[in-house]
Amino acid sequence: MTDPAPSPGRARPRLGVFKFASCDGCQLTLLDCEDELLGLAAEVEIAHFLEASSGVAPGPYDLALVEGSVSTPEHMERIRRIRAESRRLVTIGACATAGGIQALRNHADVTEYLETVYARPDYIETLAGSTPPSAHVPVDFELRGCPIDRAQLLEVITAFLAGRRPGIPDHSVCFSCKQRGAVCVLVAHGTPCLGPVTHAGCGALCPAYGRGCYGCFGPAGTTNLGALVPVLRRDGMSDEDVGRFLHTFNVTAFTAAEEKDLP
Protein backbone atom coordinates (compact mmCIF):
# COMPACT_ATOMS: atom_id res chain seq x y z
CA MET A 1 0.00 0.00 0.00
CA THR A 2 1.72 3.17 -1.16
CA ASP A 3 -1.14 5.47 -2.11
CA PRO A 4 -1.71 8.27 0.40
CA ALA A 5 -5.01 8.69 2.22
CA PRO A 6 -7.28 11.44 0.85
CA SER A 7 -6.61 14.84 2.40
CA PRO A 8 -9.37 16.57 4.43
CA GLY A 9 -10.01 18.96 1.58
CA ARG A 10 -10.73 16.26 -0.96
CA ALA A 11 -14.09 14.63 -1.68
CA ARG A 12 -15.07 11.63 0.39
CA PRO A 13 -13.72 8.28 -0.88
CA ARG A 14 -16.27 6.38 -2.95
CA LEU A 15 -17.26 2.86 -1.85
CA GLY A 16 -18.90 0.25 -4.07
CA VAL A 17 -20.27 -3.08 -2.83
CA PHE A 18 -21.03 -5.72 -5.46
CA LYS A 19 -22.62 -9.17 -5.47
CA PHE A 20 -21.91 -12.19 -7.63
CA ALA A 21 -22.95 -15.83 -6.95
CA SER A 22 -23.54 -15.90 -3.19
CA CYS A 23 -26.13 -15.88 -0.42
CA ASP A 24 -25.67 -12.16 0.48
CA GLY A 25 -24.49 -13.08 4.00
CA CYS A 26 -21.26 -11.09 3.77
CA GLN A 27 -23.06 -7.95 2.59
CA LEU A 28 -25.47 -8.41 5.51
CA THR A 29 -22.42 -8.46 7.80
CA LEU A 30 -21.66 -4.93 6.62
CA LEU A 31 -25.24 -3.84 7.30
CA ASP A 32 -25.04 -5.51 10.73
CA CYS A 33 -22.23 -3.11 11.67
CA GLU A 34 -25.06 -0.76 12.76
CA ASP A 35 -23.46 2.06 14.79
CA GLU A 36 -20.12 1.61 13.04
CA LEU A 37 -21.89 1.78 9.67
CA LEU A 38 -23.25 5.21 10.54
CA GLY A 39 -19.73 6.44 11.23
CA LEU A 40 -18.48 4.84 8.02
CA ALA A 41 -21.25 6.45 5.98
CA ALA A 42 -20.13 9.85 7.30
CA GLU A 43 -16.59 9.25 6.05
CA VAL A 44 -17.28 7.72 2.61
CA GLU A 45 -19.72 8.08 -0.23
CA ILE A 46 -21.53 4.75 -0.61
CA ALA A 47 -21.88 4.95 -4.37
CA HIS A 48 -23.10 1.40 -5.09
CA PHE A 49 -24.62 -1.01 -2.56
CA LEU A 50 -27.84 -2.59 -3.82
CA GLU A 51 -28.33 -4.53 -0.59
CA ALA A 52 -28.76 -1.19 1.17
CA SER A 53 -30.13 1.18 -1.47
CA SER A 54 -31.52 1.14 -5.00
CA GLY A 55 -29.78 4.44 -5.65
CA VAL A 56 -26.45 3.83 -7.37
CA ALA A 57 -23.77 6.00 -8.92
CA PRO A 58 -21.33 4.93 -11.64
CA GLY A 59 -17.62 4.50 -11.02
CA PRO A 60 -14.85 5.14 -10.50
CA TYR A 61 -14.68 3.78 -6.94
CA ASP A 62 -11.88 4.22 -4.42
CA LEU A 63 -12.70 0.86 -2.83
CA ALA A 64 -14.81 -1.98 -4.20
CA LEU A 65 -15.98 -4.85 -1.97
CA VAL A 66 -16.95 -7.91 -3.98
CA GLU A 67 -19.02 -10.77 -2.57
CA GLY A 68 -19.63 -14.00 -4.48
CA SER A 69 -18.00 -16.24 -7.06
CA VAL A 70 -17.72 -15.92 -10.82
CA SER A 71 -20.15 -18.52 -12.14
CA THR A 72 -21.58 -17.20 -15.43
CA PRO A 73 -20.20 -15.59 -18.61
CA GLU A 74 -21.88 -12.32 -17.56
CA HIS A 75 -20.00 -12.46 -14.24
CA MET A 76 -16.68 -12.60 -16.09
CA GLU A 77 -17.48 -9.45 -18.02
CA ARG A 78 -18.80 -7.63 -14.96
CA ILE A 79 -15.85 -8.41 -12.65
CA ARG A 80 -13.47 -7.04 -15.28
CA ARG A 81 -15.52 -3.87 -15.55
CA ILE A 82 -15.62 -3.41 -11.78
CA ARG A 83 -11.86 -3.97 -11.57
CA ALA A 84 -11.26 -1.33 -14.25
CA GLU A 85 -13.42 1.16 -12.33
CA SER A 86 -11.91 0.49 -8.88
CA ARG A 87 -8.74 1.87 -7.33
CA ARG A 88 -8.73 -0.97 -4.80
CA LEU A 89 -10.69 -4.23 -5.01
CA VAL A 90 -11.24 -6.47 -1.98
CA THR A 91 -13.06 -9.81 -2.15
CA ILE A 92 -15.10 -10.77 0.92
CA GLY A 93 -16.25 -14.20 2.04
CA ALA A 94 -15.67 -17.83 1.06
CA CYS A 95 -17.51 -17.48 -2.26
CA ALA A 96 -15.32 -14.58 -3.36
CA THR A 97 -12.04 -15.98 -2.01
CA ALA A 98 -12.41 -19.69 -2.85
CA GLY A 99 -15.45 -20.11 -5.10
CA GLY A 100 -17.77 -21.00 -2.22
CA ILE A 101 -19.75 -24.14 -1.58
CA GLN A 102 -21.02 -23.89 -5.16
CA ALA A 103 -17.48 -24.77 -6.27
CA LEU A 104 -18.31 -28.38 -5.39
CA ARG A 105 -19.53 -28.49 -8.98
CA ASN A 106 -15.93 -27.99 -10.12
CA HIS A 107 -15.41 -31.67 -9.28
CA ALA A 108 -18.51 -32.91 -11.11
CA ASP A 109 -20.33 -32.69 -14.44
CA VAL A 110 -22.19 -29.37 -14.49
CA THR A 111 -24.25 -30.54 -17.48
CA GLU A 112 -25.65 -33.38 -15.41
CA TYR A 113 -26.57 -30.92 -12.65
CA LEU A 114 -28.36 -28.66 -15.12
CA GLU A 115 -30.40 -31.53 -16.56
CA THR A 116 -31.33 -32.75 -13.08
CA VAL A 117 -32.31 -29.41 -11.57
CA TYR A 118 -33.86 -27.41 -14.41
CA ALA A 119 -36.82 -28.30 -16.62
CA ARG A 120 -35.26 -26.26 -19.46
CA PRO A 121 -31.48 -26.37 -18.97
CA ASP A 122 -31.04 -24.80 -22.40
CA TYR A 123 -32.21 -21.51 -20.85
CA ILE A 124 -29.36 -21.52 -18.31
CA GLU A 125 -26.07 -19.78 -19.05
CA THR A 126 -23.37 -20.95 -16.68
CA LEU A 127 -19.69 -21.74 -16.52
CA ALA A 128 -18.42 -25.25 -15.90
CA GLY A 129 -16.89 -24.11 -12.60
CA SER A 130 -17.27 -21.57 -9.82
CA THR A 131 -14.15 -19.50 -9.26
CA PRO A 132 -13.11 -16.52 -7.10
CA PRO A 133 -12.67 -13.13 -8.79
CA SER A 134 -8.90 -13.46 -8.26
CA ALA A 135 -8.91 -16.13 -11.00
CA HIS A 136 -9.92 -13.42 -13.46
CA VAL A 137 -8.66 -10.04 -12.22
CA PRO A 138 -6.01 -8.70 -9.80
CA VAL A 139 -7.33 -8.48 -6.23
CA ASP A 140 -5.80 -6.23 -3.57
CA PHE A 141 -6.92 -8.27 -0.55
CA GLU A 142 -9.02 -11.35 0.27
CA LEU A 143 -11.08 -11.39 3.47
CA ARG A 144 -12.02 -14.95 4.45
CA GLY A 145 -15.09 -16.30 6.20
CA CYS A 146 -18.55 -17.79 5.73
CA PRO A 147 -19.71 -15.23 6.61
CA ILE A 148 -16.93 -12.73 7.22
CA ASP A 149 -16.26 -11.30 10.67
CA ARG A 150 -17.65 -7.81 11.30
CA ALA A 151 -14.55 -6.51 13.11
CA GLN A 152 -12.26 -7.81 10.37
CA LEU A 153 -14.42 -6.17 7.70
CA LEU A 154 -14.25 -2.80 9.45
CA GLU A 155 -10.47 -3.18 9.79
CA VAL A 156 -10.14 -3.87 6.06
CA ILE A 157 -12.28 -0.90 5.03
CA THR A 158 -10.50 1.43 7.47
CA ALA A 159 -7.06 0.22 6.39
CA PHE A 160 -7.63 0.67 2.68
CA LEU A 161 -9.22 4.08 3.07
CA ALA A 162 -6.25 5.11 5.25
CA GLY A 163 -3.73 3.79 2.73
CA ARG A 164 -2.28 0.95 4.81
CA ARG A 165 -2.30 -2.84 4.72
CA PRO A 166 -5.11 -4.47 6.77
CA GLY A 167 -3.98 -5.99 10.06
CA ILE A 168 -5.63 -9.39 9.57
CA PRO A 169 -3.64 -12.29 11.10
CA ASP A 170 -3.25 -15.49 9.08
CA HIS A 171 -2.74 -17.88 12.01
CA SER A 172 -5.04 -20.81 12.77
CA VAL A 173 -8.17 -21.09 14.91
CA CYS A 174 -6.05 -22.87 17.54
CA PHE A 175 -4.55 -19.49 18.50
CA SER A 176 -8.05 -18.13 19.08
CA CYS A 177 -8.93 -21.13 21.26
CA LYS A 178 -5.92 -20.44 23.44
CA GLN A 179 -6.74 -16.73 23.63
CA ARG A 180 -10.26 -17.35 24.92
CA GLY A 181 -9.25 -20.28 27.15
CA ALA A 182 -11.27 -22.89 25.27
CA VAL A 183 -10.55 -26.57 25.85
CA CYS A 184 -9.10 -28.29 22.75
CA VAL A 185 -11.95 -30.54 21.58
CA LEU A 186 -9.57 -32.48 19.34
CA VAL A 187 -7.16 -33.40 22.14
CA ALA A 188 -9.53 -33.57 25.12
CA HIS A 189 -12.56 -35.22 23.53
CA GLY A 190 -11.43 -36.75 20.23
CA THR A 191 -13.87 -34.48 18.36
CA PRO A 192 -12.90 -34.01 14.68
CA CYS A 193 -11.81 -30.40 14.27
CA LEU A 194 -10.29 -28.38 11.42
CA GLY A 195 -9.07 -25.66 13.76
CA PRO A 196 -5.36 -26.52 13.34
CA VAL A 197 -5.52 -25.80 9.59
CA THR A 198 -8.26 -23.12 9.43
CA HIS A 199 -7.72 -19.36 9.19
CA ALA A 200 -8.67 -17.48 12.36
CA GLY A 201 -11.44 -14.91 12.31
CA CYS A 202 -14.48 -16.44 14.01
CA GLY A 203 -13.11 -16.18 17.53
CA ALA A 204 -13.10 -20.00 17.83
CA LEU A 205 -16.88 -19.96 18.11
CA CYS A 206 -17.56 -23.66 17.52
CA PRO A 207 -14.73 -25.10 19.68
CA ALA A 208 -15.71 -22.75 22.52
CA TYR A 209 -19.05 -24.55 22.63
CA GLY A 210 -17.61 -28.06 22.38
CA ARG A 211 -17.93 -28.51 18.62
CA GLY A 212 -15.15 -29.04 16.12
CA CYS A 213 -14.22 -26.30 13.66
CA TYR A 214 -15.83 -26.71 10.22
CA GLY A 215 -13.29 -24.64 8.29
CA CYS A 216 -15.57 -21.68 7.50
CA PHE A 217 -12.60 -19.31 7.08
CA GLY A 218 -10.57 -21.53 4.76
CA PRO A 219 -6.94 -22.63 5.15
CA ALA A 220 -4.67 -20.74 7.53
CA GLY A 221 -1.47 -19.15 6.29
CA THR A 222 0.39 -22.36 7.15
CA THR A 223 -1.36 -25.72 7.01
CA ASN A 224 -0.25 -29.27 7.78
CA LEU A 225 -3.02 -31.58 6.65
CA GLY A 226 -0.45 -34.35 6.51
CA ALA A 227 -0.35 -34.26 10.32
CA LEU A 228 -4.06 -33.59 10.92
CA VAL A 229 -5.66 -36.20 8.64
CA PRO A 230 -4.19 -39.20 10.55
CA VAL A 231 -5.65 -37.73 13.76
CA LEU A 232 -9.07 -37.41 12.12
CA ARG A 233 -8.83 -41.06 11.04
CA ARG A 234 -7.81 -42.02 14.57
CA ASP A 235 -10.97 -40.39 15.86
CA GLY A 236 -13.16 -42.53 13.64
CA MET A 237 -13.37 -40.72 10.31
CA SER A 238 -13.05 -42.70 7.09
CA ASP A 239 -11.24 -41.30 4.06
CA GLU A 240 -14.65 -40.39 2.61
CA ASP A 241 -15.60 -38.64 5.85
CA VAL A 242 -12.36 -36.64 5.79
CA GLY A 243 -13.00 -35.61 2.18
CA ARG A 244 -16.51 -34.43 3.01
CA PHE A 245 -15.21 -32.61 6.09
CA LEU A 246 -12.75 -30.59 4.02
CA HIS A 247 -14.87 -30.03 0.94
CA THR A 248 -17.56 -27.62 2.07
CA PHE A 249 -17.46 -23.80 2.28
CA ASN A 250 -13.89 -23.54 0.95
CA VAL A 251 -13.62 -26.64 -1.20
CA THR A 252 -11.14 -25.28 -3.74
CA ALA A 253 -8.87 -23.72 -1.10
CA PHE A 254 -8.69 -26.91 0.96
CA THR A 255 -8.20 -28.98 -2.19
CA ALA A 256 -5.14 -26.86 -2.96
CA ALA A 257 -3.92 -27.40 0.63
CA GLU A 258 -4.42 -31.16 0.24
CA GLU A 259 -2.36 -31.22 -2.93
CA LYS A 260 0.43 -29.41 -1.07
CA ASP A 261 0.33 -31.33 2.21
CA LEU A 262 -0.83 -34.85 1.40
CA PRO A 263 1.18 -37.46 -0.54
Side-chain angles (χ1 to χ4, degrees):
M1 298 294 299
T2 57
D3 293 345
S7 64
R10 290 175 58 187
R12 290 183 299 165
R14 306 181 80 237
L15 173 68
V17 184
F18 303 91
K19 169 186 163 59
F20 287 76
S22 64
C23 71
D24 288 31
C26 293
Q27 292 181 83
L28 289 174
T29 298
L30 177 54
L31 291 177
D32 286 343
C33 289
E34 298 177 345
D35 291 344
E36 294 92 341
L37 184 60
L38 294 175
L40 176 65
E43 297 297 326
V44 304
E45 175 192 350
I46 301 178
H48 188 289
F49 188 7
L50 291 178
E51 191 78 18
S53 171
S54 60
V56 298
Y61 308 100
D62 291 284
L63 175 64
L65 301 178
V66 175
E67 176 195 68
S69 64
V70 175
S71 300
T72 70
E74 185 272 334
H75 284 170
M76 293 182 67
E77 295 177 9
R78 190 156 65 95
I79 191 61
R80 290 169 182 151
R81 185 169 65 252
I82 292 170
R83 173 70 272 190
E85 295 177 341
S86 304
R87 178 169 167 261
R88 294 284 184 246
L89 189 149
V90 174
T91 52
I92 58 174
C95 296
T97 59
I101 199 166
Q102 59 268 31
L104 286 167
R105 75 185 191 187
N106 297 7
H107 305 278
D109 182 358
V110 71
T111 302
E112 181 181 353
Y113 283 167
L114 289 173
E115 293 175 347
T116 301
V117 173
Y118 298 100
R120 291 297 305 271
D122 51 308
Y123 287 176
I124 306 300
E125 291 189 5
T126 187
L127 299 174
S130 171
T131 51
S134 61
H136 307 277
V137 298
V139 169
D140 293 290
F141 193 79
E142 295 182 323
L143 183 63
R144 309 282 189 83
C146 186
I148 53 176
D149 175 73
R150 182 173 72 175
Q152 287 194 346
L153 175 61
L154 290 170
E155 162 61 18
V156 166
I157 295 174
T158 301
F160 275 92
L161 294 179
R164 61 176 175 83
R165 190 73 177 171
I168 305 296
D170 64 356
H171 56 239
S172 73
V173 172
C174 292
F175 281 75
S176 299
C177 279
K178 297 296 185 290
Q179 287 174 336
R180 67 182 296 167
V183 173
C184 179
V185 297
L186 186 66
V187 173
H189 307 301
T191 301
C193 180
L194 292 179
V197 296
T198 297
H199 196 286
C202 64
L205 183 62
C206 289
Y209 287 90
R211 301 174 65 179
C213 170
Y214 291 94
C216 301
F217 278 65
T222 301
T223 61
N224 189 352
L225 283 166
L228 178 62
V229 168
V231 177
L232 298 177
R233 292 183 181 131
R234 180 204 67 188
D235 293 334
M237 300 188 80
S238 66
D239 288 345
E240 183 178 2
D241 292 334
V242 171
R244 288 181 178 275
F245 200 30
L246 290 169
H247 298 163
T248 54
F249 314 97
N250 292 275
V251 54
T252 59
F254 275 117
T255 298
E258 286 180 272
E259 293 173 351
K260 175 175 68 72
D261 293 342
L262 297 179

